[in-house]
Each structure stands twice: as C-alpha cells, then as structure tokens.
Amino acid sequence: MGDGCTFLSGHTDNLIGINRPCIVSVYNTGTLVKIGENTGFSGTVIGAFAGITIGKNVKCGANTLITDGDWHPEDPRSGKPRPVEIGDNVWLGVGAMVLKGAKIGENSVIGAGSVVRGVIPANVVAAGDPCKIIRSLV
C-alpha cells in the first residue's frame, strides 16, 4: 500500500453517505492487493481471489466494490477469478462495481452505479451496466 492512502468508513465521513466500512479481504495464499499512493476509499469493499492492482491517486466514491471473483468458489456455477487492474488517476463514482477481469485505463472516470466487466481504455468517461464509453477526455 502506498503512502497517503485514506479509508473512510464512518457514516458521515463522506457527505454523500457511506453505508458500510471499508473492507479489504484476500482469500487465497499468495494473492496480492496492490494500492498506489494517495488513493482514497469511502466505504469501499475490495475482495481478492486472484489479484487486484489499484494505481496512484485513485478516487473510489462511496460504497464502491472492487472484486476479482464471484465470492462462491465452491459453487460449480462460479467462474474462475480473474485479476483486476485500475490505472492511475481513475475516479470510480458512487456505487460503482468493478468485477473480475476488469481493466480501467489511467485518468478515466466511471459513472455512479456502473458495472465494469471488461476493458475501459485510458482517458474516457464511461458509465452504465455494462459500463460503456460515453466520451473521450482528450
């Protein structure tokens, strides 16, 4: 974990409202969660089965979820975990979910309530379920 990271977990720590504490869970020996410096979380849940990399200066809005697995590995309907990568300077809007195999390029903004399941390139605004590019930032 990089220097200067913040984890806000109190109901009034973020004025948009936090409905749960920050939780970071690692489920398999050797699985890594890497977090760059000056990254902030507000009621964010991070669940790692395969590996999660979060860049520097990332903003995670209230009640976001970042996970690389389906959370029920004993169930044959669950697929294999796949690593998640979030680039530097990404902003995840309130309630956004970043799911297994997702890759978000640097400087991108993910809209509130979005579900990221694939690749979002650098320097875009993307939103929706599934998350799709809305516009370029360059």
Side-chain angles (χ1 to χ4, degrees), residues 6-127:
T6 57
F7 293 83
L8 303 178
S9 292
H11 293 293
T12 58
D13 287 346
N14 179 325
L15 296 180
I16 204 165
I18 297 173
N19 63 19
R20 61 186 179 213
C22 290
I23 301 170
V24 179
S25 302
V26 176
Y27 291 90
N28 296 311
T29 302
T31 298
L32 295 177
V33 173
K34 298 177 185 177
I35 301 171
E37 62 191 34
N38 300 315
T39 291
F41 305 94
S42 294
T44 300
V45 172
I46 300 171
F49 296 81
I52 295 174
T53 301
I54 301 170
K56 299 182 288 188
N57 304 308
V58 172
K59 296 177 184 176
C60 293
N63 312 312
T64 49
L65 169 68
I66 303 167
T67 186
D68 62 3
D70 294 329
W71 291 75
H72 294 281
E74 74 288 348
D75 190 319
R77 297 171 293 180
S78 290
K80 289 189 176 189
R82 295 189 322 245
V84 166
E85 297 176 22
I86 299 173
D88 294 343
N89 305 309
V90 166
W91 183 0
L92 301 179
V94 61
M97 293 187 281
V98 180
L99 303 181
K100 68 181 187 180
K103 294 181 183 182
I104 304 172
E106 64 184 23
N107 304 313
S108 286
V109 176
I110 305 301
S114 295
V115 179
V116 182
R117 295 180 253 198
V119 176
I120 302 297
N123 302 301
V124 299
V125 174

